[in-house]
Short mmCIF file of all heavy atoms in Angstrom, two decimals:
data_model
loop_
_atom_site.label_atom_id
_atom_site.label_comp_id
_atom_site.label_asym_id
_atom_site.label_seq_id
_atom_site.Cartn_x
_atom_site.Cartn_y
_atom_site.Cartn_z
N ASP O 179 -53.26 -38.11 29.69
CA ASP O 179 -53.51 -38.05 28.26
C ASP O 179 -53.91 -36.61 27.88
O ASP O 179 -54.68 -35.91 28.56
CB ASP O 179 -54.79 -38.94 27.95
CG ASP O 179 -55.03 -39.21 26.47
OD1 ASP O 179 -54.90 -38.21 25.70
OD2 ASP O 179 -55.24 -40.43 26.11
N PRO O 180 -53.31 -36.09 26.75
CA PRO O 180 -53.55 -34.74 26.40
C PRO O 180 -55.00 -34.46 25.99
O PRO O 180 -55.49 -33.35 25.94
CB PRO O 180 -52.58 -34.48 25.22
CG PRO O 180 -52.35 -35.84 24.70
CD PRO O 180 -52.24 -36.80 25.85
N THR O 181 -55.71 -35.58 25.66
CA THR O 181 -57.12 -35.36 25.20
C THR O 181 -58.11 -35.50 26.36
O THR O 181 -58.03 -36.56 27.08
CB THR O 181 -57.53 -36.38 24.07
OG1 THR O 181 -56.69 -36.22 22.98
CG2 THR O 181 -58.86 -36.26 23.61
N ILE O 182 -58.82 -34.49 26.56
CA ILE O 182 -59.86 -34.59 27.69
C ILE O 182 -61.21 -34.29 27.14
O ILE O 182 -61.42 -33.73 26.00
CB ILE O 182 -59.53 -33.59 28.78
CG1 ILE O 182 -59.43 -32.18 28.23
CG2 ILE O 182 -58.27 -33.98 29.51
CD1 ILE O 182 -59.23 -31.06 29.26
N GLY O 183 -62.21 -34.52 27.86
CA GLY O 183 -63.63 -34.12 27.53
C GLY O 183 -64.06 -33.14 28.66
O GLY O 183 -63.80 -33.35 29.79
N VAL O 184 -64.79 -32.14 28.31
CA VAL O 184 -65.14 -31.11 29.17
C VAL O 184 -66.69 -30.71 28.97
O VAL O 184 -67.17 -30.77 27.87
CB VAL O 184 -64.42 -29.78 28.94
CG1 VAL O 184 -64.73 -28.75 30.03
CG2 VAL O 184 -62.96 -30.11 28.86
N TRP O 185 -67.39 -30.78 30.11
CA TRP O 185 -68.85 -30.19 30.07
C TRP O 185 -69.13 -29.47 31.37
O TRP O 185 -68.48 -29.65 32.36
CB TRP O 185 -69.79 -31.30 29.74
CG TRP O 185 -70.05 -32.37 30.70
CD1 TRP O 185 -71.17 -32.48 31.65
CD2 TRP O 185 -69.30 -33.56 31.05
NE1 TRP O 185 -71.08 -33.61 32.41
CE2 TRP O 185 -69.95 -34.25 32.09
CE3 TRP O 185 -68.11 -34.06 30.51
CZ2 TRP O 185 -69.41 -35.39 32.60
CZ3 TRP O 185 -67.54 -35.19 30.98
CH2 TRP O 185 -68.24 -35.82 32.04
N ALA O 186 -70.16 -28.59 31.26
CA ALA O 186 -70.50 -27.92 32.44
C ALA O 186 -71.88 -28.27 32.85
O ALA O 186 -72.76 -28.77 32.14
CB ALA O 186 -70.49 -26.41 32.13
N ARG O 187 -72.29 -28.03 34.11
CA ARG O 187 -73.62 -28.41 34.69
C ARG O 187 -73.94 -27.33 35.85
O ARG O 187 -73.05 -26.82 36.52
CB ARG O 187 -73.45 -29.79 35.33
CG ARG O 187 -74.83 -30.29 35.74
CD ARG O 187 -74.72 -31.67 36.45
NE ARG O 187 -74.38 -32.74 35.53
CZ ARG O 187 -75.12 -33.33 34.64
NH1 ARG O 187 -76.41 -33.03 34.59
NH2 ARG O 187 -74.66 -34.29 33.92
N VAL O 188 -75.20 -27.06 35.85
CA VAL O 188 -75.74 -26.28 37.04
C VAL O 188 -76.85 -27.12 37.75
O VAL O 188 -77.71 -27.58 37.06
CB VAL O 188 -76.38 -25.01 36.53
CG1 VAL O 188 -76.86 -24.18 37.77
CG2 VAL O 188 -75.31 -24.13 35.71
N SER O 189 -76.50 -27.38 38.97
CA SER O 189 -77.56 -28.09 39.83
C SER O 189 -78.14 -27.27 40.89
O SER O 189 -77.43 -26.37 41.44
CB SER O 189 -76.87 -29.39 40.40
OG SER O 189 -76.27 -30.14 39.39
N LEU O 190 -79.35 -27.56 41.35
CA LEU O 190 -80.03 -26.74 42.32
C LEU O 190 -80.54 -27.63 43.43
O LEU O 190 -81.08 -28.64 43.21
CB LEU O 190 -81.26 -26.05 41.66
CG LEU O 190 -82.17 -25.19 42.53
CD1 LEU O 190 -81.35 -24.03 43.16
CD2 LEU O 190 -83.38 -24.74 41.82
N ARG O 191 -80.29 -27.23 44.70
CA ARG O 191 -80.88 -28.01 45.75
C ARG O 191 -82.24 -27.58 46.08
O ARG O 191 -82.59 -26.42 46.35
CB ARG O 191 -79.91 -27.58 47.10
CG ARG O 191 -80.13 -28.63 48.15
CD ARG O 191 -79.15 -28.43 49.25
NE ARG O 191 -77.77 -28.33 48.76
CZ ARG O 191 -77.16 -29.47 48.42
NH1 ARG O 191 -77.59 -30.67 48.54
NH2 ARG O 191 -75.78 -29.37 48.01
N GLU O 192 -83.11 -28.60 46.05
CA GLU O 192 -84.51 -28.42 46.30
C GLU O 192 -85.04 -29.60 47.12
O GLU O 192 -84.79 -30.79 46.83
CB GLU O 192 -85.38 -28.40 44.98
CG GLU O 192 -85.28 -27.08 44.18
CD GLU O 192 -86.27 -27.07 42.97
OE1 GLU O 192 -86.55 -28.12 42.55
OE2 GLU O 192 -86.53 -25.94 42.66
#
Side-chain angles (χ1 to χ4, degrees):
D179 193 315
T181 300
I182 59 173
V184 189
W185 70 100
R187 186 182 298 277
V188 182
S189 300
L190 178 65
R191 195 173 307 283
E192 284 187 336

